[in-house]
Amino acid sequence: MTRLTRDQMRGKAQTVLGLIDPAELGSTLMHEHLIWNITPPPQRSNPPPPSELDLQQWWNLATSEIKVESNTTQLDVGVATRAAAEVVQKGGRTIVELTIGGLMPDPNGLAQVSRDSGAQIVMGSGHYVHDYQDPANANRSLEELAQEMVDQIQLGAWGTDVRAGLLGEIGCQWPWTDLEKKMLHAACLAQQETGAALTIHPARHQDHPWMLVEFLRAHGADLSRTIIDHIDRTIFDDDRLFRLADAGVVLEWDLFGQESCYYAPNIDIDMPNDAQRLRDIRKLIERGHGDQIVISQDICHTAHMTEFGGWGYAHIYKKVLPLARRRGFTEAELNKIMVETPRRLLTFI
Ligand SMILES: [Zn+2]
């Protein structure tokens, strides 16, 4: 394995098949999972179950009302390839795949999916939330964790020579744990070292994104190259939303397709539907933040895939963009969200 230098990477984007001219990225989904295991580690069977579902239970599975391992585990390269091909068929070019430490990342599997589907795939790096991490991470130093992420970008990830194209999704729980803070600090150092974008899974608490902003500032992160994920299930008022936007971070609505207000992981909140997501995005555009918005579907349940009766990875192309156009979004605005901002973020500086 050879290490790519920062000079070799600067001005380029990196997919699982290698460095590319960022102009080739095209329309990009910024937060998906194609091959994953989000079953909590203590509940995982070995070997993992195949991807199959009892469709009579589809609604309960799609809303996470019931937990079934074959819904929270998808390790089949063929299933992932068919899903990625749908995106290409509907006009998408690039899928950012954020299955990282704790979620059973499969870099060689993603490279195969990319070759077989024609989709470009940009892979994440680092570790997900505390409860999914290898307990050994608690004893690893800040420098060691930072170097691991640098290596995943410059050298190869998870024992392969497939390289990552950005940092994260770095995971945070509520309450935010010391291990997660160390991991995020390490990601800030890796961002400074590599010039990569950083994407963060915030805790399920409306004040956590602002805590992230303060933490990122204190640790020298580039906020303009940092994405706060899952805004749809985290922020519910304009004050908090505008304050985040004013701080300069990129805001990501990545649960498009989830149309039910019932959100099993936190039933204290009203999950917005796609129309409400578009209204929040509209508000930010009117306020001048049109270049700080990205969208995606964060599919990580088999019930959400078309092959198992769900809306699938092309939902944004099939339903959301047409809806947005009917609601008055211009092509220039949508191009910023789908093409220009992802390209800016995925280009190493
Ligand atoms: Zn995710």
Side-chain angles (χ1 to χ4, degrees):
M1 293 196 287
T2 6
R3 183 179 294 280
L4 293 176
T5 66
R6 184 150 183 189
D7 280 343
Q8 286 173 305
M9 302 189 81
R10 189 176 288 116
K12 302 249 172 39
Q14 182 158 262
T15 75
V16 292
L17 299 183
L19 291 173
I20 63 166
D21 178 344
E24 301 295 315
L25 287 167
S27 186
T28 301
L29 297 171
M30 284 298 290
H31 191 136
E32 299 298 339
H33 302 271
L34 290 163
I35 301 174
W36 74 80
N37 192 349
I38 63 156
T39 310
Q43 289 150 38
R44 288 180 188 175
S45 29
N46 192 15
S51 296
E52 59 184 15
L53 288 185
D54 172 4
L55 291 183
Q56 287 197 322
Q57 287 289 352
W58 185 83
W59 181 252
N60 284 329
L61 293 162
T63 54
S64 298
E65 181 65 11
I66 55 173
K67 305 271 180 210
V68 173
E69 202 181 355
S70 61
N71 188 31
T72 49
T73 307
Q74 199 314 95
L75 303 171
D76 187 305
V77 170
V79 169
T81 300
R82 291 192 285 279
E86 289 171 22
V87 174
V88 178
Q89 207 215 333
K90 295 295 174 190
R93 279 295 287 133
T94 301
I95 301 171
V96 174
E97 216 284 3
L98 297 177
T99 302
I100 56 168
L103 302 174
M104 290 185 72
D106 179 3
N108 286 324
L110 292 181
Q112 189 64 42
V113 170
S114 179
R115 281 189 291 264
D116 292 349
S117 68
Q120 298 177 118
I121 298 175
V122 176
M123 184 173 71
S125 59
H127 295 266
Y128 192 55
V129 299
H130 187 123
D131 288 353
Y132 283 73
Q133 286 191 41
D134 183 339
N137 282 346
N139 301 318
R140 299 171 70 192
S141 71
L142 173 69
E143 292 71 23
E144 197 182 341
L145 294 171
Q147 188 61 46
E148 181 183 52
M149 288 183 248
V150 171
D151 288 350
Q152 289 175 344
I153 287 171
Q154 296 180 341
L155 206 54
W158 313 114
T160 74
D161 56 8
V162 178
R163 298 181 180 93
L166 79 168
L167 298 155
E169 57 177 306
I170 301 301
C172 310
Q173 299 173 178
W174 188 263
W176 197 9
T177 74
D178 287 343
L179 171 59
E180 291 169 332
K181 288 178 189 168
K182 181 169 69 171
M183 196 64 70
L184 185 58
H185 186 181
C188 293
L189 298 176
Q191 187 187 45
Q192 289 156 25
E193 180 81 16
T194 60
L198 165 60
T199 192
I200 305 173
H201 167 107
R204 289 188 179 88
H205 190 290
Q206 59 186 358
D207 292 326
H208 191 252
W210 188 255
M211 292 166 69
L212 287 172
V213 165
E214 291 182 327
F215 187 95
L216 293 163
R217 282 178 174 156
H219 294 93
D222 182 342
L223 270 68
S224 73
R225 300 182 55 69
T226 301
I227 308 156
I228 308 289
D229 309 341
H230 314 321
I231 292 298
D232 354 19
R233 59 91 165 131
T234 316
I235 297 293
F236 305 95
D237 65 283
D238 288 352
D239 287 351
R240 283 185 178 81
L241 183 64
F242 294 161
R243 194 171 179 217
L244 284 173
D246 287 339
V249 288
V250 176
L251 303 171
E252 181 175 276
W253 278 262
D254 50 24
L255 301 171
F256 272 95
Q258 298 195 28
E259 293 277 39
S260 168
C261 66
Y262 182 90
Y263 179 60
N266 181 9
I267 60 172
D268 292 331
I269 65 148
D270 291 340
M271 177 69 99
N273 63 19
D274 286 356
Q276 291 163 322
R277 291 182 176 99
L278 289 175
R279 272 185 234 143
D280 284 337
I281 290 171
R282 186 78 243 156
K283 271 190 257 175
L284 275 189
I285 292 175
E286 297 302 329
R287 208 164 168 272
H289 302 291
D291 51 6
Q292 289 169 254
I293 300 162
V294 290
I295 65 174
S296 212
Q297 298 139 158
D298 192 18
I299 288 185
C300 51
H301 291 80
T302 48
H304 297 176
M305 306 175 89
T306 50
E307 190 158 333
F308 301 92
W311 47 91
Y313 297 79
H315 172 76
I316 283 179
Y317 297 101
K318 292 193 288 192
K319 301 283 168 61
V320 177
L321 295 180
L323 197 66
R325 290 185 182 105
R326 298 284 288 203
R327 302 292 181 274
F329 284 69
T330 66
E331 290 308 316
E333 288 164 352
L334 294 175
N335 199 56
K336 259 187 195 173
I337 293 171
M338 298 308 300
V339 179
E340 293 173 28
T341 301
R343 184 175 64 213
R344 176 177 73 75
L345 291 164
L346 295 176
T347 303
F348 287 91
I349 62 168

